[in-house]
């Protein structure tokens, strides 16, 4: 399907199906009802994204293999690379936290980049294999879990905190990480997924796509709106995902994940996340304690950043999700646009809470100077990381279109 004709889209924010006219490059179509972006069209999106993914992969390799920071205290020098933090966490028996850090800082970004290069590279050939659909779906799912820019901020907070304790020098990996975060962001805004799916369709990767019309189902994987032929087990003809009217058991799953996160929020704030012992004195500090220490050290911007990322964002996410779920269950029809906007904010900010975890992991690896000064990550960090992951899963399982379904009681 060329970009020369209108195509039926379903808004991910409110579920309204609408025809999107042919878009000129660098223009964006928004939903007429809720304002959510439907599609942003790019020029040469496949070639540009392929080049950016290659560049990002090279930067990721440099980030992962060179020195991130070098610290020195009374003649003893410690070097830390990307993997040093998780190694130290695993050595202290916090393997789950180590795994979470490795997954979000290394595994997810590299899998996303290799997958993107694989799919876009094969799309340049005359007959791409069918399995690139699965790979591209995986790439799209990994995107929120690939956290180069959050890691960058975590490293920055660690750097500022360390300046007060030891002599610290930034390594080449920190510069590479800065470039990587920028390139990943550029890649995400450059990649027009709809264009990639249409290219697959042109090259015959999926099944025949029938003409869509209102009343058809929208695919959660690729966004195609189609009338499935198999009504018993409907599947998307373009990407092969199972089709559902709305995300399955969305309300119950979101409630379960949000309640689990709310319960874990208590130990995450009660138990220490960090213990700094300097010249034999020092005490474990909680997340709130860490913010107060930053305020006392007059590091206002950092204190605000950690307060937002570690205390305000998780609370806002939990309260927001809870309020939205209650509104759906009571059939509230007010503030629909505002609630949709609130959900897109919740979805966007969730990953930034990992700043604290990345910072603690780096500090634990770098500052081990015996009786002089040591920093040990605490058990509260494990609970906090679980809160972040659970709220991200909760946002993923929430279906904002359910809020708007109150306007169409005859259907569903
Ligand atoms: Zn909409
Ligand atoms: Zn699909």
């Amino acid at each position: 399907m060329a970009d020369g004709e209108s195509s039926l889209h379903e808004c991910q924010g409110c579920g309204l199906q609408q025809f999107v006219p042919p878009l000129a490059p660098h223009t964006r179509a928004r939903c007429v009802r809720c304002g959510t972006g439907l599609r942003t069209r790019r020029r040469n999106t496949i070639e540009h994204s392929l080049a950016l993914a290659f560049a990002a992969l090279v930067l990721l390799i440099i980030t992962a293999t060179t020195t991130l920071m070098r610290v020195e205290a009374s003649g003893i020098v410690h070097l830390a690379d990307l993997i040093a933090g998780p190694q130290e966490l695993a050595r202290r028996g916090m393997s789950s936290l180590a795994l979470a850090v490795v997954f979000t800082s290394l595994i997810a970004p590299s899998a996303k980049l290799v997958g993107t290069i694989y799919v876009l590279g094969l799309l340049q050939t005359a007959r791409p294999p069918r399995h690139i659909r699965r790979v591209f779906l995986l790439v799209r799912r990994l995107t929120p879990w690939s956290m180069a820019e959050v890691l960058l901020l975590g490293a920055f907070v660690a750097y500022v905190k360390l300046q007060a304790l030891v002599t610290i020098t930034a390594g080449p990996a920190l510069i590479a990480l800065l470039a990587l975060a920028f390139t990943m962001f550029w890649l995400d805004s450059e990649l027009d997924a709809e264009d990639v799916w249409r290219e697959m369709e042109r090259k015959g990767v999926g099944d025949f796509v029938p003409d869509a019309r209102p009343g058809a189902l929208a695919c959660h994987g690729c966004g195609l709106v189609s009338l499935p032929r198999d009504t018993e087990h409907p599947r998307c003809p373009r990407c092969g995902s199972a089709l559902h009217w709305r995300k399955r058991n969305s309300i119950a799953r979101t409630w379960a994940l949000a309640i689990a996160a709310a319960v874990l929020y208590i130990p995450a704030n009660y138990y220490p996340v960090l213990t700094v012992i300097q010249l034999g004195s020092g005490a474990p500090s909680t997340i709130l304690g860490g913010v107060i220490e930053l305020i006392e050290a007059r590091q206002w911007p950092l204190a605000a950043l950690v307060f937002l990322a570690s205390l305000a964002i998780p609370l806002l996410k939990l309260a927001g999700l809870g309020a939205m779920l209650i509104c759906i269950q009571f059939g509230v029809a007010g503030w629909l646009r505002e609630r949709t906007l609130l959900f897109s904010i919740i979805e966007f900010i969730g990953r930034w809470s990992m700043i604290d975890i990345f910072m603690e992991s780096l500090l634990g690896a770098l500052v081990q100077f015996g009786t002089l000064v040591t920093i040990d990550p605490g058990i509260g960090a494990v609970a906090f990381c679980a809160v972040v992951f659970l709220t991200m899963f909760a946002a993923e399982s929430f279906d904002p279109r359910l809020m708007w379904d109150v306007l169409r009681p005859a259907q569903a």
Side-chain angles (χ1 to χ4, degrees):
M1 199 189 299
D3 232 303
E5 46 192 286
S6 307
S7 54
L8 188 61
H9 281 251
E10 183 172 303
C11 173
Q12 293 298 304
C14 74
L16 183 71
Q17 294 188 349
Q18 54 211 288
F19 281 98
V20 174
L23 293 179
H26 305 293
T27 50
R28 172 191 280 245
R30 286 187 181 280
C31 172
V32 289
R33 185 160 72 172
C34 74
T36 301
L38 293 173
R39 184 187 173 199
T40 306
R41 176 122 193 279
R42 304 277 173 199
R43 199 194 296 273
N44 303 329
T45 179
I46 294 176
E47 291 83 356
H48 289 175
S49 304
L50 189 56
L52 284 167
F54 258 118
L57 189 62
V58 171
L59 288 167
L60 181 63
I61 293 169
I62 299 173
T63 308
T65 51
T66 56
T67 307
L68 204 56
M69 286 180 206
R70 175 186 185 278
V71 294
E72 193 181 341
S74 66
I76 308 165
V77 173
H78 280 308
L79 298 173
D81 54 12
L82 200 60
I83 205 75
Q87 272 172 344
E88 178 66 22
L89 289 173
R91 209 179 55 77
R92 291 169 181 276
M94 290 192 249
S95 305
S96 53
L97 195 58
L99 195 66
V101 173
V102 171
F103 179 71
T104 49
S105 62
L106 212 57
I107 297 174
S110 46
K112 175 188 162 171
L113 292 173
V114 171
T116 306
I117 293 170
Y118 184 75
V119 170
L120 300 185
L122 279 173
L123 265 184
Q124 311 280 330
T125 61
R127 289 203 65 79
R130 275 173 77 89
H131 68 258
I132 61 170
R133 303 186 301 171
R134 294 253 156 252
V135 181
F136 194 56
L137 284 173
L138 184 70
V139 165
R140 305 296 294 164
R141 289 212 68 179
L142 280 173
T143 296
W145 300 95
S146 148
M147 302 189 185
E149 70 281 34
V150 186
L151 174 65
L152 177 69
L153 263 186
F156 176 68
V157 178
Y159 187 91
V160 175
K161 277 199 145 191
L162 283 173
Q163 276 182 327
L165 295 171
V166 287
T167 316
I168 178 161
T169 330
L174 204 60
I175 317 287
L177 179 60
L178 178 70
L180 173 67
F182 177 72
T183 315
M184 290 285 252
F185 176 76
W186 192 358
L187 170 65
D188 285 341
S189 54
E190 185 63 38
L191 187 69
D192 173 8
E194 177 65 24
D195 218 35
V196 175
W197 289 116
R198 287 187 187 188
E199 182 67 15
M200 287 189 200
E201 215 177 306
R202 254 195 299 276
K203 299 227 158 138
V205 173
D207 300 323
F208 169 71
V209 175
D211 260 355
R213 68 194 92 147
L217 291 177
C219 172
H220 295 315
C222 75
L224 180 78
V225 183
S226 64
L227 269 178
R229 266 175 287 185
D230 180 359
T231 45
E232 193 85 345
H233 302 286
R235 287 205 163 266
C236 172
R238 188 159 73 172
C239 75
S241 303
L243 291 175
H244 311 286
W245 162 243
R246 293 291 179 253
K247 289 182 186 173
R248 268 187 305 180
N249 307 325
S250 169
I251 294 178
R253 269 197 302 154
T254 313
W255 264 128
L257 290 163
I259 290 170
V263 170
L264 281 169
Y265 190 73
I266 300 164
N269 282 282
Y270 179 76
Y271 289 108
V273 288
L274 218 54
T275 307
V276 183
I277 309 254
Q278 200 169 9
L279 298 168
S281 70
S285 69
T286 57
I287 294 176
L288 186 64
V291 175
I292 293 168
E293 276 163 29
L294 281 170
I295 292 173
E296 280 168 356
R298 297 186 177 277
Q299 301 277 5
W300 307 112
L302 276 194
L305 180 74
V306 175
F307 174 78
L308 275 178
S310 308
L311 286 159
I313 289 179
L315 271 185
L316 174 75
K317 283 183 77 170
L318 289 173
L321 281 172
M324 286 189 291
L325 287 166
I326 290 168
C327 282
I328 291 175
Q329 288 179 311
F330 283 92
V332 177
W335 315 288
L336 281 167
R337 277 185 79 108
E338 290 77 9
R339 275 150 57 191
T340 308
L341 179 68
L342 174 67
F343 175 68
S344 57
I345 293 172
I346 285 177
E347 214 182 12
F348 172 77
I349 58 174
R351 47 218 292 284
W352 290 95
S353 299
M354 284 293 283
I355 290 176
D356 232 43
I357 301 290
F358 289 138
M359 187 245 325
E360 283 142 23
S361 146
L362 261 175
L363 290 182
L366 276 167
V367 189
Q368 300 299 331
F369 293 102
T371 49
L372 193 66
V373 57
T374 57
I375 296 185
D376 299 330
I379 197 72
V382 179
F384 182 72
C385 186
V387 171
V388 179
F389 271 54
L390 284 169
T391 49
M392 281 182 71
F393 282 130
E396 231 172 60
S397 55
F398 183 77
D399 194 335
R401 293 170 301 180
L402 291 169
M403 301 193 284
W404 293 78
D405 285 345
V406 69
L407 299 179
R408 46 192 301 174
Q411 209 148 355

